[in-house]
Amino acid sequence: MTIHKEGYTSLALCILFIFVLNALVQFFYPDTNWLHWAAYIFSFFIFVIILQFFRSPGINVSQEDRHVICPADGKVVVIEETEETEFFKDRRIQISIFMSPINVHVNRYPIGGVVKYQKYHPGKFLVAWHPKSSTENERTTVVVENLKGVAVLFRQIAGAMARRIVCYAKEGDMAEQGSQFGFIKFGSRVDVFLPIGTEIDVKLGDSVKGGITVLAKLKD
């Protein structure tokens, strides 16, 4: 297992905190064995949590032009036709994936092509499943257009716990399907907006894997 680069600072701070905590316990309570063990157990627990938050397992991406692959690990919580008001300004099929704190937090390009649009929006920190989180929370929107001229919009959304969205995509970049475009610290939600008529391959409640699960198939 490898650690994502976004976790280096958090991991270093965690190790420093553990070192200071245990040093203080040893210094002020040198003969209190139960407190030493409590500090060890607490330190181990915190270290494991930080490690799993920032793990970045290797995957084998199966690239296919028609496929829209899942941008994040998590659970499908929304599949509906809705109005996309930021870029397309028309009706789209929205698929939303909720990322829990125990999921891998790497975000991956669902299709390959050219990054046509990227914009960061400051906002609120409503819980990720709140209906208004897609339009009112802190978020970053990215649009990629494939070689056939079909564009897909996907949006990283912050939540009540996730206060840090990282997006590497820039307008004009060549996006490789399945490669990393960002990271959301401590989970949250990713929305994908697809053209009407797209064949959906998942259903509500499905557990999905970023870069592996096929969400949908685009029209030829």
Side-chain angles (χ1 to χ4, degrees):
M1 180 185 70
T2 58
I3 301 301
H4 196 276
K5 63 182 180 180
E6 299 298 338
Y8 292 166
T9 299
S10 296
L11 189 60
L13 290 173
C14 175
I15 292 172
L16 177 62
F17 170 78
I18 288 171
F19 175 80
V20 172
L21 172 66
N22 283 274
L24 290 174
V25 170
Q26 292 285 349
F27 181 79
F28 288 106
Y29 304 97
D31 300 320
T32 312
N33 288 332
W34 69 267
L35 188 58
H36 296 172
W37 279 104
Y40 298 153
I41 293 170
F42 177 75
S43 299
F44 176 78
F45 179 71
I46 294 297
F47 185 71
V48 169
I49 287 177
I50 295 297
L51 278 182
Q52 71 89 25
F53 274 153
F54 294 102
R55 70 192 188 279
S56 182
I59 64 169
N60 294 316
V61 178
S62 180
Q63 297 179 340
E64 167 60 51
D65 289 343
R66 285 192 62 220
H67 289 176
V68 179
I69 60 175
C70 190
D73 285 18
K75 182 179 180 180
V76 178
V77 293
V78 173
I79 302 176
E80 65 182 14
E81 186 176 320
T82 188
E83 191 78 15
E84 199 292 302
T85 59
E86 180 178 349
F87 182 82
F88 296 116
K89 304 185 189 305
D90 63 9
R91 302 293 288 178
R92 295 276 153 167
I93 300 173
Q94 176 183 337
I95 302 177
S96 298
I97 298 99
F98 173 70
M99 303 164 63
S100 79
I102 63 172
N103 289 128
V104 172
H105 301 99
V106 175
N107 297 154
R108 300 180 181 275
Y109 284 110
I111 66 169
V114 179
V115 177
K116 290 292 187 178
Y117 178 83
Q118 190 268 14
K119 188 172 183 180
Y120 165 77
H121 302 270
K124 300 177 181 179
F125 296 97
L126 303 172
V127 291
W129 55 84
H130 194 286
K132 293 185 177 181
S133 65
S134 184
T135 55
E136 294 189 8
N137 275 21
E138 178 179 318
R139 61 202 181 278
T140 299
T141 301
V142 180
V143 178
V144 173
E145 183 178 282
N146 67 14
L147 296 178
K148 295 183 178 180
V150 179
V152 171
L153 181 151
F154 40 101
R155 182 175 291 139
Q156 300 169 291
I157 302 170
M161 285 183 61
R163 299 297 180 106
R164 178 97 165 89
I165 294 175
V166 181
C167 183
Y168 311 131
K170 297 180 178 61
E171 291 184 18
D173 284 355
M174 289 300 300
E176 180 183 354
Q177 187 179 44
S179 65
Q180 296 185 21
F181 77 87
F183 194 94
I184 304 180
K185 292 188 176 182
F186 305 113
S188 191
R189 171 173 156 179
V190 179
D191 291 349
V192 181
F193 291 83
L194 306 169
I196 298 297
T198 299
E199 179 186 338
I200 307 302
D201 285 355
V202 292
K203 60 184 184 298
L204 286 175
D206 281 357
S207 293
V208 290
K209 292 289 186 182
I212 297 176
T213 304
V214 177
L215 293 182
K217 296 184 181 70
L218 299 170
K219 287 182 176 180
D220 290 326

